[in-house]
Amino acid sequence: MAGHSKWKNIQRRKNAQDAKRGKVFMKLAKDIYIAAKQGGGDPEMNPSLRLAVDKAKASNVPNENIDRAIKKATGDLDGANYEELIYEGYGPGGVAVMVEVLTDNKNRTASELRHAFSKNGGNLGENGCVAFMFNRKGYIVIEQSTTDADEDTMMLEVMEAGGEEMETSEGAYEIYTEPEDFQSAKEQLEENGYTLETAEITMIPETLSEASEKDALKMVKLVNMLEEMEDVQEVHHNLDADEEILVQI
């Protein structure tokens, strides 16, 4: 998973900037909506909702926005009905791309995605065309500067919490779990006093795809364009490129 770590190291530095984007509240509210729609409006009984609420609070989403999203999902307020969908395709140079969306109009969303891929040298594909290249995993980051635990101690605590794997890179412990073990591992590490820099369920590429500098720069434009779309929740890819190019995404 070293390639994934390389990408996530850059993504961590970008989190503070992303949190300032105007659309982040809407995207997080949609996460809450779909989690409550699927599993009920009680975070204590719905781990997906609890995770979505935690992410929203970490980004300073007001409590009234969180409550409103839950009430819409449970029928206490009128609102749009959203669908959670995943689109797959290829970016420039054959880079695998998966796009998670939450939309109340899938025809509009598909059209916008198709335009973005086409404009930047890629193309949307059929369902399943790249999904086999990714694994869904829990992903937790603990900055070494926030703990006195050495690597051996950290590894032991991660294993006891139900973690599957741990890597140390760029001043951080990166922890991977199976999706079903994520919530319990997260809670155990928090109870042990650790501050989690990142805690999410995400898609990990099994292998990375090298691209020429020209294609990598096109890929930067594609990912940035996708992430600017209101319906897009997450963009996953397996691009391998120099850090100075990846940091532009």
Side-chain angles (χ1 to χ4, degrees), residues 100-128:
E100 296 184 32
V101 307
L102 203 56
T103 179
D104 60 349
N105 186 330
K106 60 184 180 181
N107 291 331
R108 177 197 67 222
T109 300
S111 177
E112 291 177 352
L113 290 175
R114 193 171 294 108
H115 170 72
F117 274 86
S118 177
K119 183 176 181 179
N120 293 286
N123 60 280
L124 274 181
E126 299 294 328
N127 287 342

Side-chain angles (χ1 to χ4, degrees), residues 51-66:
L51 176 60
V53 169
D54 287 346
K55 288 176 67 176
K57 288 182 176 180
S59 294
N60 299 314
V61 175
N63 287 334
E64 55 265 33
N65 293 37
I66 294 172

Side-chain angles (χ1 to χ4, degrees), residues 157-222:
E157 298 227 30
V158 166
M159 294 300 105
E160 290 178 346
E164 180 184 40
E165 183 179 348
M166 188 188 85
E167 295 177 353
T168 305
S169 60
E170 292 199 10
Y173 298 117
E174 294 181 291
I175 300 154
Y176 302 89
T177 77
E178 291 297 329
E180 60 270 20
D181 298 328
F182 169 78
Q183 190 62 39
S184 60
K186 173 180 177 293
E187 291 176 356
Q188 182 64 56
L189 291 169
E190 288 175 329
E191 288 175 8
N192 289 350
Y194 294 106
T195 300
L196 310 187
E197 175 71 16
T198 300
E200 62 184 4
I201 295 177
T202 188
M203 302 299 291
I204 311 290
E206 287 193 349
T207 58
L208 296 179
S209 177
E210 293 186 10
S212 67
E213 182 176 353
K214 180 179 179 181
D215 284 338
L217 289 172
K218 286 183 180 179
M219 186 66 190
V220 169
K221 292 181 179 179
L222 171 59

